[in-house]
Each structure stands twice: as structure tokens, then as C-alpha cells.
């Protein structure tokens, strides 16, 4: 039996994890889930939101499925999500956004992959209070991390037959930091003449994305822009409830949706488990369970296309559990 680390997270995390594990089991696959809690509740009992046992579990199993973990806003402990990515050197955050049949959106030809650098930039968490009225955050951009994420984007393009990559920066203003990212992108692009390489400033990108998203194929971005832009692209295809993601490094892979812990709908049996389910499907493909992954994909997409049993974020009135049962019925 395959062993996979499962981080149920908090907020809606445990509800959507429960839905996803039920669907995988109903599809006929038994996984030995190594359940690892993390986050605010764990601080009370273990003194840290990210105990070493969580890292050790992923190191041992090499793969994890992760639901969202809340990060206190403006105070409190550092993000568990950011710490995990850094600790395991999960340098590439891949967030594909493609229209799903049955979900009506203003555009029907969106197929964009956001490739976000996942280990540095303002997420390095180097901040200080200079005085009562002044705070400082340091943005770190290195040649090593920039080159490797851009290479990842180009290799991804070759692997999946994609044609165009936009490097996204604000190098007109952040001349040194984003300037370095762009310089690395230009250098790497020369090794891949078969892929169309373009440059765009992040503000212009945002405007173009909401007017004409089909012109974009792969976007490669430093951490912060990647985080923000991937929520925008999620909105283009129907929202956070369906937006998948994966954190990939040389040794480990942690599959997790774009969305957060959605405290506004926590415990209400309302959350859409689709994003986490698509992450789970990708995780199953990653561990070689292609047939089960395809079976789940087919069931999921036919439920969405039929459009009868959908969660509230997609305009339906089904609960998380009703939706889960419907997917299981379609397996
Ligand atoms: P959020 O993504 O949790 O929620 C934004 C909006 O989308 C809310 O209205 C929420 O109800 C809705 N939404 C999100 N996921 C949904 C789903 N599966 N089904 C239906 N509706 C869904 O973003 P927010 O509110 O900014 O962040 C809440 C917490 O999550 C924060 O503590 C933040 O730090 C954390 N977070 C954690 C992430 C992670 O664990 N990887 C990623 C993003 C945020």
C-alpha cells in the first residue's frame, strides 16, 4: 500500500480532506495516509505550528497532499505553508488554470500555467520595525533561484507541448531585484529557441489577463506576483474552489490547492472540495496510480458538466457531502 503524508490543515481543510479521501477510497484505491497536523491548534500542544514530525514524514514518503493552513494576519507565527516550501526546497509552485466544461465564465478559452518561484522574494520573511511608524521588508532575489524556476518553466513547456512563456516582473521599478530575475529569464530563454519568450510588467499583465487571457500560455514569476496573479487566473476559470496547485522540488512534491482555509465558511459543509480533489488526482499520477486518477477525473468532470449537484461557489446549493456523494456515484 502506498504511503502518502496528509496534512488536513484547518478551516475548511479537514472537511475537504475528508471528501477527497472518501472519493479515492470509493474509486478502489487504499492509501496509507500518514496524517500530520500543523497550524494554530498544534501550537497549543507542541509549541510550534510546524513540528519536525511533519517535515520528517514528507521526507520519508516523498509526497504529500496538503489542505490549507491558516496564517495569522499582521501578527503571530510565520506561515506554515511558506516554511514547509522553504524547508523542503519546493522551489516551483505550479498553478494551472484551464476552463472546466460546465462552469460559465466571461472567457471560454483560458489555459494558463502559472509557474511561481516558491522560496524567496518578500516571502523570505526578513522584516523589521525600524520605529513605531516605519517597517521594512526585504525582497530577496537570487540568480540561483531565478534561473532554476525559469528553467523549470521552459522544461515544463517542452514536456507539455506549450509554446509561449512570459517572464513577469516590475523591473522598471525594482531594477536590481526584478532586474536580476529578468536577466536570468533572458539568459535561460536563449537555450530554448523553440519556445516563444516574452516579457511583461506585472501591472500590464493584470490588465491584459482580465481583457484577453487567451494570449497567455505559461507565466513565470517571482514569488509575490505569482501568488497574487494565480488568484486572478483562478477567478478567470470560476474561482478558488476549483484552482489546483503543486509545490515541486528536486526530491519532494506537496500537492495543495491555491485557496486558503476559508474561515468564513468553515464547518458549514459548504466548501468545494474540487481544488483539493484535482490536486489529489495529480498526486495519484505522480505516484503512478494513473488509472485511478483518470477514473476520478472523469467522474468529477462529468458531475461538473451535468451541473445538477454543485456547491454554492459554483452557483449550486449542494453541501460538500452531497457533492462528494455525487462524484462517488459517477465513479
Ligand atoms: P481563502 O482562499 O481562504 O478564501 C477566499 C474566498 O474564497 C473566501 O470567500 C472563501 O470562502 C472562498 N473559498 C476559498 N476556498 C474555497 C473552497 N474550497 N470552496 C468554496 N469557497 C472557497 O483566502 P483568505 O480568506 O484570504 O485566507 C484565509 C486564510 O487562509 C489566511 O489565514 C491565509 O493566510 C490562509 N491561506 C493559506 C493558504 C495555504 O494553506 N496554502 C493559501 C492561501 C491562504
Amino acid at each position: 500500500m502506498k504511503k502518502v503524508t496528509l496534512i488536513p490543515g484547518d478551516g475548511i481543510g479537514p472537511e475537504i480532506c475528508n471528501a477527497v479521501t472518501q472519493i479515492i477510497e470509493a474509486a478502489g484505491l487504499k492509501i496509507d495516509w500518514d496524517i500530520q497536523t500543523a497550524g494554530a491548534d498544534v501550537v497549543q500542544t507542541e509549541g510550534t505550528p510546524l513540528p519536525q514530525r511533519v517535515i520528517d514524514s514528507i521526507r520519508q514518503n516523498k509526497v504529500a497532499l496538503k489542505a490549507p493552513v491558516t496564517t495569522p494576519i499582521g501578527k503571530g507565527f510565520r506561515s506554515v505553508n511558506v516554511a514547509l516550501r522553504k524547508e523542503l526546497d519546493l522551489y516551483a509552485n505550479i498553478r494551472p488554470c484551464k476552463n472546466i466544461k460546465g462552469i460559465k465564465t466571461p472567457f471560454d478559452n483560458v489555459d494558463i500555467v502559472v509557474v511561481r518561484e516558491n522560496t524567496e522574494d518578500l516571502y523570505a520573511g526578513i522584516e523589521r520595525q525600524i520605529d513605531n511608524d516605519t517597517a521594512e521588508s526585504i525582497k530577496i532575489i537570487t540568480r540561483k533561484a531565478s534561473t532554476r524556476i525559469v528553467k523549470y518553466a521552459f522544461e515544463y513547456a517542452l514536456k507539455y507541448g506549450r509554446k509561449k512563456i512570459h517572464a513577469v516582473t516590475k523591473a522598471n521599478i525594482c531594477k536590481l531585484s526584478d532586474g536580476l530575475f529578468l536577466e536570468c529569464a533572458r539568459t535561460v530563454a536563449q537555450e530554448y529557441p523553440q519556445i516563444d519568450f516574452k516579457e511583461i510588467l506585472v501591472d500590464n499583465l493584470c490588465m491584459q489577463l482580465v481583457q484577453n487571457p487567451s494570449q497567455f500560455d505559461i507565466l513565470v514569476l517571482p514569488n509575490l506576483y505569482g501568488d497574487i496573479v494565480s488568484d486572478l487566473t483562478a477567478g478567470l476559470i470560476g474561482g478558488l474552489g476549483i484552482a489546483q496547485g503543486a509545490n515541486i522540488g528536486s526530491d519532494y512534491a506537496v500537492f495543495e490547492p491555491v485557496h486558503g482555509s476559508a474561515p468564513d465558511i468553515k464547518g458549514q459543509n459548504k466548501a468545494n472540495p474540487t481544488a483539493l480533489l484535482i490536486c489529489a488526482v495529480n498526486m495519484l499520477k505522480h505516484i503512478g496510480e494513473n488509472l485511478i486518477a483518470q477514473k476520478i477525473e472523469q467522474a468529477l468532470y462529468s458531475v461538473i458538466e451535468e451541473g445538477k449537484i454543485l456547491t454554492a461557489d459554483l452557483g449550486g446549493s449542494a453541501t460538500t457531502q452531497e457533492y462528494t456523494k455525487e462524484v462517488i456515484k459517477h465513479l
Side-chain angles (χ1 to χ4, degrees):
M1 204 190 308
K2 297 233 167 87
K3 196 167 178 181
V4 175
T5 302
L6 178 66
I7 302 175
D10 51 32
I12 58 169
E15 301 164 48
I16 56 176
C17 268
N18 180 25
V20 166
T21 51
Q22 277 180 56
I23 293 168
I24 294 175
E25 192 165 340
L29 183 68
K30 279 223 170 299
I31 288 192
D32 180 6
W33 296 109
D34 184 3
I35 298 174
Q36 295 290 335
T37 52
D41 294 346
V42 173
V43 180
Q44 315 293 328
T45 50
E46 297 179 57
T48 165
L50 182 59
Q52 187 58 36
R53 59 172 168 75
V54 182
I55 310 277
D56 291 345
S57 163
I58 301 174
R59 286 223 164 93
Q60 195 175 26
N61 299 322
K62 308 256 187 272
V63 60
L65 181 65
K66 179 184 165 299
V69 177
T70 304
T71 308
I73 294 176
K75 57 179 168 52
F77 59 81
R78 277 194 66 200
S79 164
V80 165
N81 314 308
V82 172
L84 197 61
R85 294 166 192 164
K86 185 102 187 126
E87 185 68 33
L88 298 169
D89 200 21
L90 303 165
Y91 66 90
N93 186 198
I94 313 303
R95 296 179 157 182
C97 274
K98 189 175 177 186
N99 286 116
I100 296 178
K101 244 193 208 156
I103 300 178
K104 283 201 186 64
T105 60
F107 302 100
D108 56 9
N109 47 5
V110 178
D111 184 4
I112 297 169
V113 180
V114 172
V115 177
R116 163 190 175 195
E117 200 291 320
N118 221 10
T119 61
E120 55 182 31
D121 194 353
L122 282 161
Y123 288 66
I126 308 170
E127 292 194 303
R128 66 184 178 126
Q129 194 78 40
I130 293 172
D131 60 38
N132 242 351
D133 303 313
T134 318
E136 177 184 69
S137 297
I138 295 182
K139 172 172 165 126
I140 304 280
I141 301 282
T142 65
R143 188 179 301 280
K144 181 179 167 215
S146 305
T147 301
R148 98 178 149 167
I149 194 65
V150 178
K151 261 188 194 293
Y152 190 96
F154 276 95
E155 288 297 325
Y156 186 100
L158 290 185
K159 186 168 173 194
Y160 294 102
R162 291 191 168 255
K163 307 269 178 285
K164 196 175 3 174
I165 295 185
H166 278 84
V168 184
T169 66
K170 189 73 186 162
N172 53 334
I173 304 299
C174 300
K175 291 182 196 292
L176 296 183
S177 52
D178 283 15
L180 176 58
F181 187 90
L182 185 56
E183 183 196 320
C184 296
R186 286 176 180 160
T187 306
V188 172
Q190 285 172 11
E191 295 169 32
Y192 299 86
Q194 64 277 54
I195 310 283
D196 186 9
F197 173 69
K198 297 206 174 321
E199 301 171 7
I200 190 164
L201 297 177
V202 65
D203 37 357
N204 181 23
L205 170 77
C206 291
M207 193 275 292
Q208 304 269 350
L209 275 172
V210 295
Q211 283 201 323
N212 177 18
S214 64
Q215 65 182 299
F216 296 106
D217 185 344
I218 292 182
L219 306 175
V220 63
L221 320 86
N223 206 337
L224 179 64
Y225 308 144
D227 192 5
I228 298 169
V229 166
S230 56
D231 266 45
L232 193 163
T233 52
L236 290 175
I237 59 161
L240 287 168
I242 55 169
Q244 56 167 307
N247 302 291
I248 310 288
S250 309
D251 303 315
Y252 314 107
V254 174
F255 294 85
E256 71 174 333
V258 174
H259 67 73
S261 56
D264 54 335
I265 55 168
K266 171 188 170 181
Q268 297 173 29
N269 199 14
K270 257 190 183 166
N272 188 349
T274 302
L276 186 69
L277 186 58
I278 302 173
C279 295
V281 162
N282 293 333
M283 180 277 290
L284 292 175
K285 289 179 184 167
H286 181 85
I287 62 171
E289 293 289 351
N290 291 305
L291 287 178
I292 297 286
Q294 280 160 15
K295 189 171 167 184
I296 295 173
E297 250 176 344
Q298 276 162 13
L300 169 69
Y301 291 124
S302 54
V303 168
I304 296 177
E305 196 174 349
E306 283 170 22
K308 287 188 278 206
I309 307 283
L310 296 176
T311 47
D313 58 308
L314 295 181
S317 57
T319 63
T320 310
Q321 270 309 309
E322 284 163 352
Y323 180 77
T324 304
K325 286 210 180 89
E326 190 68 8
V327 175
I328 290 173
K329 222 166 81 188
H330 281 68
L331 284 169

